[in-house]
């Protein structure tokens, strides 16, 4: 019971640190920036709006002349569905909550994962906080998929190790569920790397079991890993089937090495210069691509200077725990992979299955931080148990302070001192805009000197007593001060815009409900992000999703091959000058629409009965046979019926759709019906919902004091 109370108390500490560190976001004083607002928010708005209208989010007609939304894994992420249900729809507030929720989940995951190793509470809390506010979580805040992957990573590893240690159905089910959550909500590349990590754990454990001739336990492991894999595949069936359905249609559907000129595997590498971010994350607030060699969202590898120093204090000791060295070594390996443009290691990994399907080697720094925090956890645990090691750590801390002082003395002549006064006279946001990397390093070095000096003073004057417990409290307090202050310094560079949530949300409360019927007279070019941005204060991209108007523009990581060809041939630009649907008399020899035969009075010859992203029903009355043109990207799952009879949907002008209509009155029904995906969606939803229900019921049985559960 005492241990349970301490766990609850520690979870509240994590929550409190998160609130203090990101209070502008928590209390609506600022809003998130870049891709989080321009890509994640509109897509989640569309997905959850479709679900609220009892429709599956299969086809999205509101950007880039339509694409199969179902193929994006995040479409099927249950957490986003739950957040939208909690907030009564997906909004900016929902986005903020989901981001903060995943930071918290990541911290809790590290806490419980390391707890399985029996580490001291100071190790659990410090590493959990270090992960929760690490360089990936803060530096890549706009890349919500990265944050989601990072949040579920420790839970995946934890349940995997549980199945290895004590194989049973409940642990296997938990492993399947968190793997599904990481796959559906996260970045695919990080999921692939996670699978390789689990494979490494499995091989090491298998060798150990075979050497010990513990065949019965080994067979039991295989059984429950097999059960877990089957459940995971059933849960993930809709994600996998929809993704494989989309893969041959988009430009990113093949290995990167085959198209190195477009999506090179080494794009977005972690540069050698970015190694300073382990100590100086504030330097990464300056988007100096000439210095970093990459966008500054790829440069932050911070997880806590004090935690890094604990590793260095223990790593080279003869009696250092093996886990400190092993996990640090694994972290170094991932660090080398992340430096893709500077070292060949990332290129070597592309020969492994699926490892050539994603860019941004810098994402590997997540796994560097993950294993470095493992190493830091064991190092801190070692220090908390050894008085001699703590004394040595104090001397090393004093040496670090001396090095930082010397560093600042060298930097002093190269910084513009008047800029520091502007922090107080004009404000912090102005300072980080005008300060250069030298000034940022100089300032952060000063903060580190003060914090480390504070720790030494606490120990000198025995502020928390001279016991081991007092040392732990002093360390944890100073570490929290360090990471919270550094988060404050960095948040407006990579997480937030300085604009209140209420002001930024202007325009979001007047959006149409349902699905308005698209205009049959206005050309597609009428509706674009540039023109529609005037309705919003903070939103810039994919705006037609909010107004529910089919359009030709928008940002997306998925580009249809057919659409790319239409752009190359000029057919795309030619046809978006017309409404989303119209009639034409004929095609030319290349199956392109003959624009000279387009009926300019098309709107007078049909009326639309029903429009939704997955369906279009209209009635026509034609003086002679015509081709009905629908300016949506062709997909094999689009079907058409004319007067109840199936008619072929023809790809025209490289990417659009057409159906031949007869003379006279007709009823045309366009439907997007990817039958395999629809079937898989019901399997997937029933599986993860059933798994959650099962886990809740069994948890309640255990809480009521039952010693045996027969589920």
């Amino acid at each position: 019971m005492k241990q349970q109370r301490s766990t609850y108390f520690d979870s509240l500490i994590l929550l409190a640190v998160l609130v203090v560190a990101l209070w502008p976001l928590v209390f609506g004083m600022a809003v998130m920036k870049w891709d989080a607002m321009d890509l994640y928010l509109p897509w989640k708005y569309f997905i959850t709006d479709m679900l609220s209208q009892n429709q599956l989010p299969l086809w999205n007609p509101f950007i880039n002349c339509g694409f199969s939304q179902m193929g994006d894994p995040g479409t099927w992420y249950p957490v986003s569905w739950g957040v939208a249900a909690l907030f009564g729809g997906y909004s900016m507030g929902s986005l903020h909550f989901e981001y903060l929720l995943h930071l918290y989940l990541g911290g809790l995951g590290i806490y419980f994962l390391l707890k399985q190793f029996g580490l001291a509470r100071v190790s659990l809390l410090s590493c959990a906080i270090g992960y929760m506010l690490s360089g990936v979580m803060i530096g890549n805040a706009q890349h919500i998929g990265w944050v989601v992957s990072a949040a579920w990573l420790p839970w995946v590893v934890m349940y995997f190790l549980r199945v290895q240690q004590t194989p049973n159905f409940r642990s296997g089910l938990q492993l399947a569920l968190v793997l599904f959550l990481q796959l559906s909500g996260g970045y695919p590349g990080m999921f692939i790397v996670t699978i390789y990590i689990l494979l490494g754990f499995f091989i090491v454990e298998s060798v150990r079991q075979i050497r010990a001739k513990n065949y019965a336990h080994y067979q039991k492991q295989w059984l429950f890993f097999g059960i877990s894999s089957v459940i995971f595949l059933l849960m993930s069936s809709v994600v996998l089937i929809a993704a494989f359905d989309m893969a041959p249609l988009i430009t990113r559907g093949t290995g990167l090495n085959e198209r190195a000129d477009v999506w090179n595997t080494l794009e977005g590498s972690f540069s050698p210069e970015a190694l300073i971010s382990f100590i100086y994350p504030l330097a990464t607030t300056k988007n100096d691509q000439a210095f970093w060699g990459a966008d500054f969202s790829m440069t932050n590898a911070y997880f806590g200077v004090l935690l890094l120093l604990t590793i260095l204090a223990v790593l080279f000791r003869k009696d250092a725990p093996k886990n400190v060295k092993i996990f640090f070594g694994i972290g170094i390996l991932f660090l080398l992979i992340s430096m893709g443009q500077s070292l060949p290691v990332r290129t070597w990994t592309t020969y492994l299955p699926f490892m050539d399907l994603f860019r941004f080697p810098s994402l590997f720094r997540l796994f560097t931080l993950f294993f470095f925090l493992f190493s830091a956890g064991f190092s801190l645990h070692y220090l908390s148990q050894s008085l001699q090691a703590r004394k040595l750590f104090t001397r090393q801390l004093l040496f670090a302070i001396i090095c930082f002082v010397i560093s600042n003395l060298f930097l002093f002549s190269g910084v513009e001192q008047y800029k520091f006064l502007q922090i107080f006279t004009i404000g912090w946001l102005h300072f980080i805009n005008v300060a250069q990397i030298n000034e940022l390093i100089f300032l952060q070095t000063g903060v580190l000197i003060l914090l480390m000096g504070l720790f030494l003073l606490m120990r000198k004057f025995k502020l928390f007593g001279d016991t081991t417990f007092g040392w732990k409290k002093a360390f944890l307090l100073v570490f929290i001060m360090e990471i919270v202050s550094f988060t404050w310094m960095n948040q407006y560079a990579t997480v937030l815009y300085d604009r209140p949530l209420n002001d930024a949300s202007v325009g979001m409360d007047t959006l149409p409900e349902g699905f308005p019927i698209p205009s049959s007279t206005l050309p597609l070019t009428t509706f674009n992000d540039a023109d529609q941005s005037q309705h919003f204060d903070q939103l810039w991209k994919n705006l037609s999703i909010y107004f529910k108007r089919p359009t030709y523009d928008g940002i997306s990581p998925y580009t249809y091959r057919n659409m790319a060809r239409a752009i190359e041939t000029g057919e795309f630009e030619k046809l978006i000058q017309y409404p989303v649907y119209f009639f034409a008399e004929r095609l030319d020899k290349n199956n392109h629409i003959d624009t000279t035969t387009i009926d300019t009075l098309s709107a007078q010859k049909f009326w639309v009965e029903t429009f939704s992203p997955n369906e279009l029903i209209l009635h026509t009355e034609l003086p002679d046979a015509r081709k009905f043109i629908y300016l949506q990207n062709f997909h094999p799952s689009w079907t058409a019926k004319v007067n109840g009879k199936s008619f072929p949907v023809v790809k025209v002008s490289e990417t659009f759709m057409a159906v031949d209509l007869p003379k006279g009155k007709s009823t045309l029904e366009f439907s997007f019906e990817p039958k395999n995906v629809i079937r898989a969606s019901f399997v997937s939803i029933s599986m993860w919902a059933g798994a959650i229900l099962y886990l809740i019921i069994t948890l309640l049985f255990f809480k009521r004091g039952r010693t045996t559960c027969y589920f």
Side-chain angles (χ1 to χ4, degrees):
M1 184 63 70
K2 182 179 179 182
Q3 186 179 15
Q4 190 177 38
R5 283 198 300 268
S6 68
T7 300
Y8 288 145
F9 182 68
D10 289 348
S11 66
L12 291 176
I13 292 176
L14 292 181
L15 183 60
V17 170
L18 180 61
V19 170
V20 172
L22 290 167
W23 66 268
L25 198 63
V26 174
F27 297 107
M29 303 303 294
V31 292
M32 296 188 71
K33 56 170 49 176
W34 300 327
D35 284 5
M37 299 286 279
D38 295 334
L39 188 60
Y40 198 82
L41 176 60
W43 280 18
K44 293 300 181 180
Y45 179 89
F46 170 78
I47 292 162
T48 55
D49 184 60
M50 287 286 286
L51 292 169
S52 71
Q53 300 188 54
N54 299 315
Q55 296 190 45
L56 289 174
L58 304 173
W59 185 262
N60 185 342
F62 303 126
I63 61 171
N64 299 332
C65 290
F67 83 107
S68 47
Q69 181 78 59
M70 63 185 187
D72 179 70
T75 301
W76 309 101
Y77 186 44
V79 175
S80 296
W81 298 8
V83 169
L86 179 65
F87 282 81
Y90 209 91
S91 61
M92 290 186 191
S94 309
L95 171 67
H96 296 171
F97 178 82
E98 187 171 351
Y99 170 66
L100 293 167
L101 174 65
H102 284 94
L103 296 192
Y104 188 55
L105 285 172
L108 284 178
I110 287 289
Y111 180 93
F112 288 114
L113 172 58
L114 294 180
K115 191 174 183 180
Q116 289 188 171
F117 292 89
L119 300 186
R121 285 179 68 191
V122 66
S123 296
L124 305 182
L125 282 169
S126 298
C127 292
I129 294 169
Y131 191 71
M132 189 169 65
L133 299 174
S134 66
V136 171
M137 299 297 203
I138 301 301
N140 291 99
Q142 63 165 320
H143 305 129
I144 302 293
W146 289 35
V147 174
V148 173
S149 293
W152 291 115
L153 174 62
W155 296 93
V156 168
V157 174
M158 179 178 70
Y159 288 124
F160 184 87
L161 295 179
R162 284 189 185 179
V163 176
Q164 278 194 331
Q165 295 160 5
T166 55
N168 59 69
F169 179 76
R170 182 180 174 82
S171 295
L173 183 63
Q174 290 169 321
L175 174 60
L177 180 60
V178 294
L179 271 172
F180 163 70
L181 292 173
Q182 190 189 43
L183 173 65
S184 60
Y187 184 68
M190 289 180 170
F191 176 80
I192 292 170
V193 178
T194 299
I195 295 300
Y196 274 100
I197 289 173
L198 298 185
L199 180 62
F201 278 117
F202 181 77
I203 292 173
V204 170
E205 177 65 12
S206 295
V207 170
R208 192 179 70 84
Q209 295 290 347
I210 292 172
R211 283 182 175 178
K213 298 183 178 180
N214 194 359
Y215 300 120
H217 184 80
Y218 188 49
Q219 290 174 351
K220 196 174 181 181
Q221 280 183 351
W222 269 94
L223 172 64
F224 285 103
F225 275 132
I227 292 173
S228 181
S229 299
V230 170
I231 295 173
F232 163 72
L233 290 174
L234 290 172
M235 284 184 186
S236 306
S237 57
V238 67
V239 176
L240 298 173
I241 291 173
F244 282 112
D245 174 271
M246 179 187 276
L249 304 177
I250 61 175
T251 56
R252 296 180 63 180
T254 59
L256 294 170
N257 288 334
E258 300 171 20
R259 296 171 291 103
D261 58 327
V262 181
W263 296 102
N264 194 284
T265 51
L266 304 184
E267 181 181 339
S269 294
F270 186 76
S271 64
E273 292 82 1
L275 290 170
I276 67 173
S277 66
F278 281 105
I279 299 176
Y280 303 116
L282 184 57
T284 66
T285 63
K286 183 58 60 177
N287 192 16
D288 186 347
Q289 295 204 20
F291 178 78
W292 300 116
D295 184 273
F296 68 156
S297 65
M298 301 293 167
T299 58
N300 194 340
Y302 173 76
F303 65 96
V305 177
L306 280 179
L307 286 181
L308 178 61
L309 291 176
T310 62
I311 297 175
L312 299 178
V314 175
L315 185 65
F316 302 105
R317 292 179 63 90
K318 292 182 179 179
D319 58 344
K322 288 184 179 179
N323 285 331
V324 172
K325 299 179 179 180
I326 291 172
F327 290 124
F328 186 77
I330 297 173
I332 291 293
L333 174 62
F334 281 109
L335 183 62
L336 298 178
I337 298 174
S338 72
M339 300 171 72
Q341 290 182 341
S342 303
L343 297 171
V345 189
R346 171 63 178 119
T347 305
W348 297 340
T349 64
T350 59
Y351 293 101
L352 297 172
F354 304 109
M355 290 289 281
D356 66 337
L357 293 177
F358 56 92
R359 299 179 292 160
F360 308 123
S362 184
L363 70 82
F364 285 92
R365 78 187 192 280
L366 165 65
F367 304 97
T368 294
L369 301 183
F370 181 74
F371 286 106
F372 277 7
L373 283 166
F374 259 85
S375 182
F378 282 98
S379 297
L380 195 50
H381 182 77
Y382 175 84
L383 290 174
S384 66
Q385 292 184 322
S386 171
L387 177 61
Q388 182 182 4
R390 290 199 298 274
K391 289 181 178 179
L392 180 59
F393 176 71
T394 300
R395 291 194 292 270
Q396 291 172 326
L397 207 59
L398 183 59
F399 177 73
I401 291 175
I402 295 171
C403 290
F404 283 137
V405 170
I406 295 172
S407 170
N408 263 10
L409 289 175
F410 276 105
L411 285 174
F412 187 75
S413 61
V415 301
E416 299 180 68
Q417 292 88 350
Y418 75 93
K419 291 181 180 178
F420 296 102
L421 294 176
Q422 294 178 349
I423 297 175
F424 307 99
T425 58
I426 302 179
W428 174 256
L429 295 182
H430 173 79
F431 172 75
I432 62 173
N433 285 327
V434 300
Q436 298 303 312
I437 291 177
N438 281 351
E439 280 93 25
L440 296 172
I441 291 176
F442 184 87
L443 174 63
Q444 194 168 353
T445 301
V447 174
L448 285 171
I449 292 169
L450 289 175
L451 290 173
M452 292 179 183
L454 177 62
F455 177 77
L456 294 179
L457 288 174
M458 285 181 178
R459 300 311 302 146
K460 173 73 174 177
F461 295 103
K462 303 176 183 178
L463 184 61
F464 295 108
D466 197 29
T467 62
T468 300
F469 182 68
W471 186 90
K472 294 177 184 178
K473 288 179 68 174
F475 182 93
L476 182 60
L477 177 61
V478 174
F479 176 68
I480 290 175
M481 293 170 66
E482 175 204 322
I483 201 163
V484 167
S485 62
F486 287 179
T487 302
W488 285 346
M489 293 177 182
N490 278 63
Q491 61 185 343
Y492 281 103
T494 55
V495 183
L496 305 176
Y497 282 121
D498 183 26
R499 185 165 294 171
L501 177 61
N502 289 338
D503 293 347
S505 298
V506 170
M508 291 289 287
D509 54 353
T510 58
L511 299 176
E513 297 182 359
F515 296 104
I517 293 174
S519 171
S520 58
T521 58
L522 296 176
L524 277 183
T525 51
T526 304
F527 310 110
N528 56 69
D529 290 332
D531 290 335
Q532 294 175 127
S533 62
Q534 61 185 317
H535 297 283
F536 298 104
D537 188 54
Q538 192 63 52
L539 302 176
W540 311 102
K541 297 294 182 182
N542 292 332
L543 303 184
S544 289
I545 288 178
Y546 303 114
F547 292 108
K548 301 175 182 177
R549 296 167 177 165
T551 189
Y552 70 97
D553 71 351
I555 58 169
S556 168
Y558 308 114
T559 301
Y560 271 41
R561 293 172 181 268
N562 291 340
M563 179 177 163
R565 282 196 293 269
I567 292 173
E568 289 175 4
T569 61
E571 287 296 298
F572 188 82
E573 182 64 29
K574 185 194 304 180
L575 289 172
I576 61 175
Q577 309 303 320
Y578 295 91
V580 68
Y581 29 45
F582 55 85
F583 295 116
E585 292 183 14
R586 62 176 179 268
L587 309 175
D588 65 18
K589 61 181 180 180
N590 296 317
N591 220 36
H592 294 170
I593 298 168
D594 186 344
T595 55
T596 63
T597 68
I598 291 177
D599 188 346
T600 57
L601 299 178
S602 295
Q604 300 175 15
K605 297 180 176 65
F606 73 92
W607 65 275
V608 178
E609 176 186 332
T610 302
F611 169 78
S612 72
N614 300 329
E615 185 180 39
L616 173 66
I617 301 176
L618 54 89
H619 303 277
T620 69
E621 187 169 358
L622 300 173
D624 48 37
R626 299 282 173 87
K627 296 183 183 298
F628 179 80
I629 311 300
Y630 193 21
L631 296 186
Q632 291 284 287
N633 286 310
F634 176 84
H635 188 285
S637 294
W638 276 106
T639 63
K641 290 183 178 180
V642 179
N643 297 325
K645 295 182 180 180
S646 295
F647 269 56
V649 178
V650 180
K651 181 174 67 175
V652 296
S653 292
E654 306 295 347
T655 191
F656 299 118
M657 297 187 289
V659 174
D660 288 318
L661 292 180
K663 175 182 176 180
K665 293 183 178 180
S666 300
T667 297
L668 172 62
E669 300 173 58
F670 257 108
S671 298
F672 186 66
E673 297 181 352
K675 294 179 180 178
N676 289 338
V677 174
I678 293 171
R679 295 190 192 102
S681 69
F682 292 116
V683 173
S684 178
I685 293 170
S686 61
M687 285 299 298
W688 62 253
I692 293 173
L693 183 62
Y694 170 89
L695 293 172
I696 292 173
I697 291 174
T698 54
L699 180 64
L700 292 175
F701 266 79
F702 284 121
K703 284 203 167 196
R704 288 176 182 172
R706 296 194 177 210
T707 55
T708 305
C709 181
Y710 298 99
F711 290 93

